[in-house]
Each structure stands twice: as structure tokens, then as C-alpha cells.
Amino acid sequence: MQVTSKRNTRLARALGLVSALALVGGLSANVAFSADGTASPAQTLHPEKWPAAKAQRLIDPAIEKKIDALMAQMSVEEKVGQTIQGDISTIKPADLRKYPLGSILAGGNSGPGGDDRASAQAWLDLADEFYRVSMEKKPGRVQIPVIFGVDAVHGHGNIGAATIFPHNIALGATRDRDLLRRTGEVTAREMAATGIDWTFAPALSVVRDDRWGRSYEGFSEDPEIVAAYAGAVVEGIQGVIGSKDFMKPGRTVATAKHFLADGGTDGGRDQGDAKITEEELVRLHNAGYPPAIDAGVLTIMTSFSSWQGIKHHGNKQLMTDVLKGRMGFNGFIVGDWNAHDQVPGCTKYNCPTSLIAGLDMYMASDSWELLYKNTLAQVKDGTIPMARLDDAVRRILRVKFHAGLFDKPAPKDRKDVPAISTLGSAENRAVGREAVRKSLVLLKNQGGVLPLSPKAKVLVAGDGADNIGKQAGGWTISWQGTGNRNDEFPGATSILDGIKEAVAAGGGSVAYDKAGAFKDKPDVAIVVFGEEPYAEFQGDVETLEFQPGDKSDLALLKKLKAQGIPTVAVFLSGRPMWVNPEINASDAFVAAWLPGTEGNGVADVLFKGADGKVKYDFNGKLSFSWPKNAVQTPLNRGDANYDPQFAYGYGLTYKDKGDVAPLSENSGVPAGSGSSTGVFFRRGGAPAPWSLAIADQVGDLRVTTTTGTSPGKVVDLKSVDVAAQEDAKQLTWNGTGRGAFIISGRAVDLSRQSNGDVTLSLRYRVDQAPTGKAHVSMVCGPNCRADLDLTKILTDAKPGTFQTTKISLKCFAAAGAQMASIEAPVVISTEGRLGLTVTDAKLDADPGNAVCPAK
């Protein structure tokens, strides 16, 4: 099919393929301020409507005296330094000798020495070095220990040897507050063993739209569970406030995040806008924060997102008047990764607005040096009031005193914390295994096929069965959780490992084949499949359809069923998804979520014990409603016309009749929809919201899904087979003029990705080397385009061989792209001859082998 439109013509003009430059689209502003620059009535908060503090936590007269004495000795330079946090990818311990920063972090793809797969010893060595440099005696400087933070959001996930728990969505299904407390305890102990004193957890997101890529970080769609768990997890990490247990050795500083309504943005867009009433903001999204504050949470992270168009990082009403004032939070507020950069009038290097509004510590990952200098100048010239700086510093020091950082020796000298050898200990893994068992939700058990006999002949299939990285999900070793191998998780068990262990104990047998092949017909098949790992950005989807187009897992289930084999589906996912065809093709269907490293917890429940008795029954109950079709979102308990496939609270046990009538297989999704906005081309097509086009100087784009020729006959495109039928596009430029291959759609915000390590990943084969200059570009609006020179990369490529080139998004930003509004994320163009076959184009959070071609 080929179509043209006025919009395509305008995009062609923006690409310079015709003389005029005009571009439709772009993101419309939704912020409405009154004439004097203050918030409009719709953006005004009323602190009296928010819950008042139960008690003034964290105010200890003895500690306040110590803070007074310390601050009296501090210079303005040292005070400003306390408010700045840099990432270990851009700051070295020696830098603290010049810059008195208060904190460092290791972000999603940061690791010691640039290795996010570094050993536990390397993490301890780095934490120790930062601490020792921060505490060196220097003339004119006060000794203040640096605090090191990481995203230990489901266990100490930076380290493969650690106990990695099920993600929060799974823990929400357990309905076990004490278990949540114990997962916090284990996480804190394992962090303490590596010398790290601060975790950016727990997430208290109330997830109202499951298309959000961070849905799995929330305990529930409903505030009741989030409110019930918040204090328990904080106490597990920090200990019980007011007791000798609070912040004792082996505890770490907790962070309630992301304040506020990160799970309530319009359309489930990460870093988006919560277009809701103040009443909903309080009733739904604030539910977890009062219990966390009452439990003594020491830090709160403010969200990238907005309420009614006002970015939280610049919202004084929210941070100062509500959180610190009405709700009585006396710890400190830390920002998210360069999120102050999104406040109007700010850049990541210069943002007094955030500090004045109530932010206490900037998370200035790669901007810390210049931000420090600018903030210092703004304090000295009065732009930032000294009283506000002093309040921020007092709060940061208060947390450091409560955390015992002034009393603790350097991490390697701490004798009263667990040793590195205790990471992933049997005791700790037992808690993880229990969490897996209790989180599994049984959706279907037709004819009582479960529980299984351990004496049976069992076939295990599916690409998730022996894949610890897949079962652990995002925020595991790497930011997105991609590229992880089983051998990088010493001591962990895959789901297959657990099945083998259970069946061996009963005398049965296990055969494993990913594709479901077998020699001897099995008594039962277990198929483990689900979502590939992802985190924020890459995890946002358009619909909840599990496998649009590619139905390989469904085909496997149907193949086994057709052979008369009872089939059990174990589904790995970070959210409820529309899987009606897969449920229909299974005799039993288990929502296993993202169970982490203790895959044996799955087999504990699927199989009877060796004595033939049920050892563990299903316990999990849905904390997220399960949709009837793929576009049934938002879907939350209490909604008008609430009509889920499986309701909030649903979850079968072995005592229940588990039959489920055949479900509708009408997804409700228009053809081609349902993709992540971070995937631009795959399996031969451009998933929604993207479309393919070819263009030339005649001045129009020709949108095509199969074959086509550009209007001026400069570029030919056709579908070809590489690994599957028509899974690639072959492009041929004939050198008669400038032509382009374009992937475009609605404007998307890639500014956060371009601040980190995200790349544009292209997989292709050079069929004919370029005879003229070739470029890869991004288009961002009228007169807005970034061109990078691909000529040498394509010329050096081995003809006839597929290769992957990763281009850092930072390079496009440096070349002039406005990353907040990218309408065409992939444009390949040349005036010469060129032959390319393309199989994949996507965002990739693994920066390995990234390049930065010149403009």
C-alpha cells in the first residue's frame, strides 16, 4: 500500500528534499499561566486538603546541635557542594578534592571503571575510595562524608551474585506486608556488604495506566496496597524509627519515589503530565507517602513528571508547601537524573528554580561540575537565598547523621556489616524464593491440570524457561536489563533449574527444548514465555497486546495442545497484558510477573512434593486488573463501567474450580499497533506510531509497507527475507538525485535518553557501498534537523554481512537536534548510489561499541 499526504510533503520539506521548510506536528504546550507568571487556578494546590504529619520525624535535638556546629564551620562552597550529586561515569574520587560534592550515584548503566558487570569487590573498592577522599583532612575544609546511592529497586540488582527479588508488581500480589519488610532487610544487608549506603527505593507509584514502561515498579493500581506496603518496606531497609534498630549497621537509607503521580500521567507516558484533579492527586497518588514519612523515610525523590503542566522539579507548592510543610517531611528531597533540565528556563547546568522551589539535592549525573559553579555564583549574587541553601544543607546533613555516616569508618573497615560473601546467601535467597512462591497468580486451571506430579515425564519449552535475565527483567545488572547471560548470576536458578530440581525429587524426568520438540511424548508441557526486559522509555507501549504480528509463543502452545499434551503456560511480564489467545491455548495459565533470581519458587507451587501432597498452594491475588482487550486501558478498580477479564483481587487456588470459558480473541487493536515508541523498525515493518516512507527531490514522501519507488524514481524499496518471510527492507539508491529512507510518526520526547547512554541501534547489510556522502539524520521540527555522516561506516562494512551500528543520541543532540520533539528518528539519505538491507532500528540502552559520526 502506498499513500501520500500533506503532512508527508511538509516532512519532505523539513528534510531539505524540496525548497520550502514547514513541518506539521510538534508537541503542543499545555501549561497555562496567568498574566503575572503565577500558576493558574487549575494548577494551584491547597495544603489544607493534604494529610497532616502525624509527628515530626527525624528531628533529634542532639543531631540538630551537631548540624549547627558543622554548618557554622562550612564555607558557601562546601554548602553548595552538598546539594550536588554526580554519577560515577563522570566523576572520580579525586574530583572530590576540588569539588566538595555531597553525594555520588551509579545510574542504570554506570559501574566501577565503566563496567556495569563489575564484581561486588569492585563496587566495594569504589565506595571505599569515594568515602576516604571525602573524609580527607584538607586545609579550610570540613570533613563531611559523601553518600553513595544506587537503584536497588528489587534487591541489589547491580550485582548478579546478589539476591534479586521479584519486581514490585509481583510483590503487590503477595498481600504479605511482613514479607515486604524482609525483602527490604535483605536488600539493605547486601548493599551494606558492598559499602553502599543509599537505595533509590521503594517506588510508591500508583499505576493507573499499564502502558507505562515502569508499571512493574508499582505495587498496585490501587492506593490501598501502596499505603499498606510503604511503611513496611521503609522499615525493612532502614529499621524501625525510634528503636535501636533504626539505621544500625547493615541498614541503608531508603527513598520514597517518585513524588508525585508518576504512575498517573496522561496515556501512561513516562515523564508525562498528570491531568487530574488535586483530589485525585491526594487520594490516589499520595497514598504511600504519609506512611513512608511516618516510618522515618530519610529521602524522597521528586518525579520527572508534571501535574497540570507544571514540572514537579520546579513546583514550590508541591515540594515546600505540601511535602515539607503540611506533611512534615524533614529528610531531604533529591532530584531524578538531570530532571531539573526540564523545568522552564533551566538547563541541566543552570537551574536555581529547582533549589528555590524546594529541591535539596540535584541529581546532576553528567552536569555536576558546571551546575556546581553556576549554583555557587547564584548563591553569592543572591539569586538563591542563603536561607534556602542552609535549609537544604541542614536536611542533607540530618540524613547523613541519622545514617551514621559521620561515625562509620570507610566501607572496607566496617567490621559490623555483612561480608561480601553473604551476597546471595542461602538465608537471603530463601526470602527471594518465598516471594516468588507467594506472588504467582493462577488465572486458569482447566480440569485441575495443576498441581503436577513430580513423577511425570515433563517437557519444558519457551525462551523464558532457562533465561534468568528475562525472568529478572529491567533494572538488573544493566539499566534495561538486556544482554544478561545466566552465568552472570552465580547462585541463581532459572525456572528450568527449579523444575528439574522438583521433578528429580519425585523420580520423574525433564526434557528441555526451547521450540517444544521431543522424542518421547511427555505427560505435560510447561511453556515459559513473556516480555523481553525493559525499563523506562523503552517500556512504554501503545497497547497491551502481548505479541502483535509475531505469534511464535502462541504457535508453540497450539502445537503442543494439538498433540494432546496438557500445557501449562508460565507468563513473564511487567504488567497485565492481553493474552487471550495464549490463555485459550493453555490448560493452565500462571502470571509469574518478573520473579528475579529465584526461579525455583515457580516449581515449588506447580508441583506436588515427592510425597504426592501439595506443599505450596497458589497465594497471589491480582493487584492490577487484567484487561479483556488490548486497548482496555486505563482499567482500575472503582472505575465507571469496570469490566475486566480478571478483576483486581482475582487469583485461583487449588481448592477452586479453575475452568475458564473460551475468551474473545478480538484484541481491539488496529493492524500494526501496539509497539514501544523505542522500536522504530522490526520484523519487516514499522510498528505504531511509526511509518516507513521513501522520498526524493520531487517533494513528497511515499509511505509504503511492502514495496515502492520514490516519486522521482531515486530510491527503490522492497520487502525481502532474511531470517523470516519479509522481515527486512532492501533499499537501493540509483545515484540520480538525493533520496531518503524515512521512519516517522508523532513527535516523541527523547531528551532524557539523550542525557544518558541510549543509542540509535541500526542492524543492516551493505549490498552496495556508497558512491557519495551518506547521512543518518533525525528531524525535530521546522528548520530542525541533525545530520551525521555515515559514509565511512558504510564504506568500511563488509559487503554481504549483517552488522549493527549504535549511534549515541548525544551525537544527534550535539549536531543540533531538539531531542524533546523528534518526529523522524531515522532518516538515511544520499545523493550517490547505495544498497542497504535493514532488519532493525531501535533505541538501545546498552552503549557498548557506540559511535559518534561527524556532522
Side-chain angles (χ1 to χ4, degrees), residues 58 126 138 159 166-167 179 249 261 278 320 337 346 364 376 381 400 501 523 544 580 614 634 678 759 786 793 796 804:
L58 308 181
L126 186 64
K138 310 174 191 71
I159 300 172
H167 270 294
L179 172 63
E278 183 178 10
T320 298
W337 187 279
C346 288
L376 179 60
D381 69 16
K400 291 183 176 184
E501 177 186 314
D523 299 320
L544 296 178
N580 283 12
V614 172
T759 65
I793 292 173
D796 291 347
T804 298

Side-chain angles (χ1 to χ4, degrees), residues 433 436-437 440 451-452 494-503 526 570 598-609 615-616 654:
R433 187 170 181 170
V436 175
R437 287 197 300 264
L440 303 175
L452 301 174
S494 69
I495 293 171
L496 174 64
D497 292 332
I499 293 170
K500 287 180 175 179
E501 177 186 314
V503 173
I526 301 173
V570 177
E598 309 315 298
N600 42 14
V602 175
D604 285 345
V605 183
L606 295 184
F607 287 88
K608 299 174 185 176
K615 193 173 182 182
Y616 298 104
Y654 287 139

Side-chain angles (χ1 to χ4, degrees), residues 631-673:
V631 294
Q632 192 182 18
T633 182
L635 175 66
N636 300 296
R637 183 175 76 150
D639 289 350
N641 303 315
Y642 179 65
D643 184 29
Q645 188 74 73
F646 301 107
Y648 177 95
Y650 178 91
L652 299 168
T653 69
Y654 287 139
K655 296 176 184 177
D656 299 317
K657 182 175 174 59
D659 292 354
V660 173
L663 305 177
S664 168
E665 297 194 6
N666 179 8
S667 71
V669 180
S673 297

Side-chain angles (χ1 to χ4, degrees), residues 43-394:
Q43 299 167 313
T44 300
L45 296 174
H46 304 83
E48 69 277 8
K49 295 183 178 181
W50 294 68
K54 289 185 178 180
Q56 286 297 315
R57 301 297 187 194
L58 308 181
I59 303 299
D60 180 326
I63 287 178
E64 297 304 307
K65 281 186 177 181
K66 292 178 181 179
I67 296 171
D68 290 338
L70 197 60
M71 289 183 65
Q73 302 172 57
M74 293 174 68
S75 65
V76 176
E77 287 77 6
E78 289 172 305
K79 289 180 178 180
V80 170
Q82 287 300 303
T83 70
I84 308 290
Q85 180 186 62
D87 186 79
I88 62 171
S89 63
T90 63
I91 189 170
K92 307 303 178 193
D95 291 326
L96 297 183
R97 296 190 176 105
K98 181 178 179 181
Y99 298 98
L101 269 56
S103 177
I104 50 136
L105 83 151
N109 273 338
S110 298
D115 180 9
D116 59 12
R117 286 168 167 74
S119 67
Q121 184 63 51
W123 283 93
L124 177 59
D125 291 344
L126 186 64
D128 186 82
E129 189 176 1
F130 269 112
Y131 184 95
R132 289 181 190 274
V133 173
S134 72
M135 293 297 282
E136 287 175 353
K137 292 182 179 180
K138 310 174 191 71
R141 287 272 290 272
V142 181
Q143 291 174 285
I144 301 176
V146 72
I147 185 168
F148 192 162
V150 300
D151 287 278
V153 297
H154 63 139
H156 196 5
N158 284 294
I159 300 172
T163 306
I164 299 174
F165 292 100
H167 270 294
N168 285 352
I169 192 171
L171 297 180
T174 68
R175 303 298 204 273
D176 190 330
R177 191 175 187 274
D178 180 66
L179 172 63
L180 269 290
R181 178 187 56 76
R182 288 184 283 128
T183 65
E185 287 180 349
V186 171
T187 300
R189 287 199 300 267
E190 296 199 350
M191 289 182 68
T194 59
I196 298 173
D197 294 303
W198 184 12
T199 175
F200 304 135
L204 301 181
S205 315
V206 179
V207 181
R208 306 297 286 180
D209 193 321
D210 302 342
R211 291 174 293 180
W212 186 37
R214 304 187 78 157
S215 291
Y216 62 74
E217 294 187 52
F219 293 120
S220 179
E221 70 188 31
D222 196 284
E224 69 167 1
I225 290 178
V226 179
Y229 281 3
V233 180
V234 169
E235 288 180 351
I237 296 169
Q238 296 186 166
V240 177
I241 191 168
S243 73
K244 293 181 180 179
D245 183 52
F246 185 65
M247 292 310 302
K248 72 178 184 180
R251 300 290 187 177
T252 60
V253 173
T255 308
K257 71 178 189 183
H258 304 87
F259 192 76
L260 190 65
D262 54 339
T265 61
D266 189 42
R269 300 290 182 200
D270 195 59
Q271 302 182 15
D273 188 23
K275 299 176 181 179
I276 58 178
T277 65
E278 183 178 10
E279 187 275 336
E280 291 172 299
L281 200 61
V282 176
R283 178 178 59 86
L284 295 175
H285 298 285
N286 191 52
Y289 289 92
I293 292 169
D294 198 49
V297 70
L298 288 165
T299 70
I300 289 177
M301 183 182 293
T302 197
S303 175
F304 259 103
S305 59
S306 311
W307 176 68
Q308 296 293 350
I310 300 179
K311 283 290 180 182
H312 294 328
H313 274 68
N315 194 331
K316 183 176 182 292
Q317 295 180 96
L318 190 64
M319 288 192 286
T320 298
D321 301 341
V322 168
L323 182 55
K324 294 178 177 178
R326 176 70 172 178
M327 292 168 59
F329 175 60
N330 293 314
F332 73 79
I333 301 175
V334 63
D336 207 338
W337 187 279
N338 278 336
H340 54 278
D341 179 50
Q342 296 186 9
V343 175
C346 288
T347 71
K348 64 181 179 180
Y349 306 108
N350 189 333
C351 192
T353 304
S354 285
L355 193 63
I356 293 168
L359 188 74
D360 299 308
M361 182 181 286
Y362 298 93
M363 187 180 285
S365 51
D366 61 350
S367 57
W368 58 269
E369 184 174 0
L370 190 52
L371 181 65
Y372 169 80
K373 292 175 180 177
N374 286 331
T375 305
L376 179 60
Q378 289 153 0
V379 171
K380 288 184 175 180
D381 69 16
T383 301
I384 297 173
M386 182 60 73
R388 172 75 272 269
L389 175 64
D390 282 345
D391 175 61
V393 174
R394 175 173 292 276

Side-chain angles (χ1 to χ4, degrees), residues 792-827:
K792 187 176 188 307
I793 292 173
L794 298 180
T795 302
D796 291 347
K798 184 178 179 181
T801 301
F802 279 96
Q803 69 178 52
T804 298
T805 295
K806 296 181 180 181
I807 303 169
S808 173
L809 295 191
K810 294 177 182 177
C811 305
F812 290 102
Q818 298 297 315
M819 303 304 291
S821 186
I822 299 296
E823 185 168 289
V826 182
V827 179

Side-chain angles (χ1 to χ4, degrees), residues 300-583:
I300 289 177
M301 183 182 293
T302 197
S303 175
F304 259 103
S305 59
S306 311
W307 176 68
Q308 296 293 350
I310 300 179
K311 283 290 180 182
H312 294 328
H313 274 68
N315 194 331
K316 183 176 182 292
Q317 295 180 96
L318 190 64
M319 288 192 286
T320 298
D321 301 341
V322 168
L323 182 55
K324 294 178 177 178
R326 176 70 172 178
M327 292 168 59
F329 175 60
N330 293 314
F332 73 79
I333 301 175
V334 63
D336 207 338
W337 187 279
N338 278 336
H340 54 278
D341 179 50
Q342 296 186 9
V343 175
C346 288
T347 71
K348 64 181 179 180
Y349 306 108
N350 189 333
C351 192
T353 304
S354 285
L355 193 63
I356 293 168
L359 188 74
D360 299 308
M361 182 181 286
Y362 298 93
M363 187 180 285
S365 51
D366 61 350
S367 57
W368 58 269
E369 184 174 0
L370 190 52
L371 181 65
Y372 169 80
K373 292 175 180 177
N374 286 331
T375 305
L376 179 60
Q378 289 153 0
V379 171
K380 288 184 175 180
D381 69 16
T383 301
I384 297 173
M386 182 60 73
R388 172 75 272 269
L389 175 64
D390 282 345
D391 175 61
V393 174
R394 175 173 292 276
R395 289 169 175 274
I396 293 166
L397 295 178
R398 182 180 294 143
V399 168
K400 291 183 176 184
F401 274 112
H402 275 292
L405 294 183
F406 287 92
D407 301 319
K408 292 178 180 178
K412 286 185 179 179
D413 295 337
R414 297 175 186 173
K415 307 300 184 186
D416 47 3
V417 298
I420 282 183
S421 60
T422 63
L423 264 72
S425 68
E427 177 188 4
N428 293 348
R429 290 191 185 278
V431 179
R433 187 170 181 170
E434 178 185 352
V436 175
R437 287 197 300 264
K438 290 184 173 179
S439 67
L440 303 175
V441 179
L442 181 59
L443 299 183
K444 176 182 179 180
N445 191 19
Q446 207 78 9
V449 67
L450 293 176
L452 301 174
S453 169
K455 303 180 186 299
K457 187 188 301 180
V458 180
L459 170 67
V460 181
D463 67 354
D466 194 29
N467 191 333
I468 297 172
K470 185 164 182 166
Q471 73 188 41
W475 289 109
T476 305
I477 299 182
S478 65
W479 174 32
Q480 297 286 321
T482 55
N484 294 327
R485 306 186 310 269
N486 282 6
D487 62 5
E488 293 174 317
F489 298 94
T493 55
S494 69
I495 293 171
L496 174 64
D497 292 332
I499 293 170
K500 287 180 175 179
E501 177 186 314
V503 173
S509 64
V510 174
Y512 168 60
D513 184 85
K514 190 183 293 186
F518 57 84
K519 292 181 180 179
D520 298 321
K521 186 176 180 180
D523 299 320
V524 66
I526 301 173
V527 181
V528 187
F529 64 99
E531 291 188 287
E532 294 301 316
Y534 56 82
E536 56 206 285
F537 311 124
Q538 276 77 315
D540 287 1
V541 294
E542 295 293 309
T543 78
L544 296 178
E545 187 175 14
F546 167 54
Q547 280 191 332
D550 181 7
K551 297 289 185 181
S552 56
D553 296 308
L554 178 60
L556 173 57
L557 291 167
K558 286 182 173 180
K559 179 180 76 172
L560 294 168
K561 186 107 168 171
Q563 295 174 88
I565 303 169
T567 304
V568 177
V570 177
F571 184 53
L572 303 173
S573 74
R575 54 190 143 213
M577 303 202 77
W578 187 76
V579 284
N580 283 12
E582 288 82 2
I583 293 174

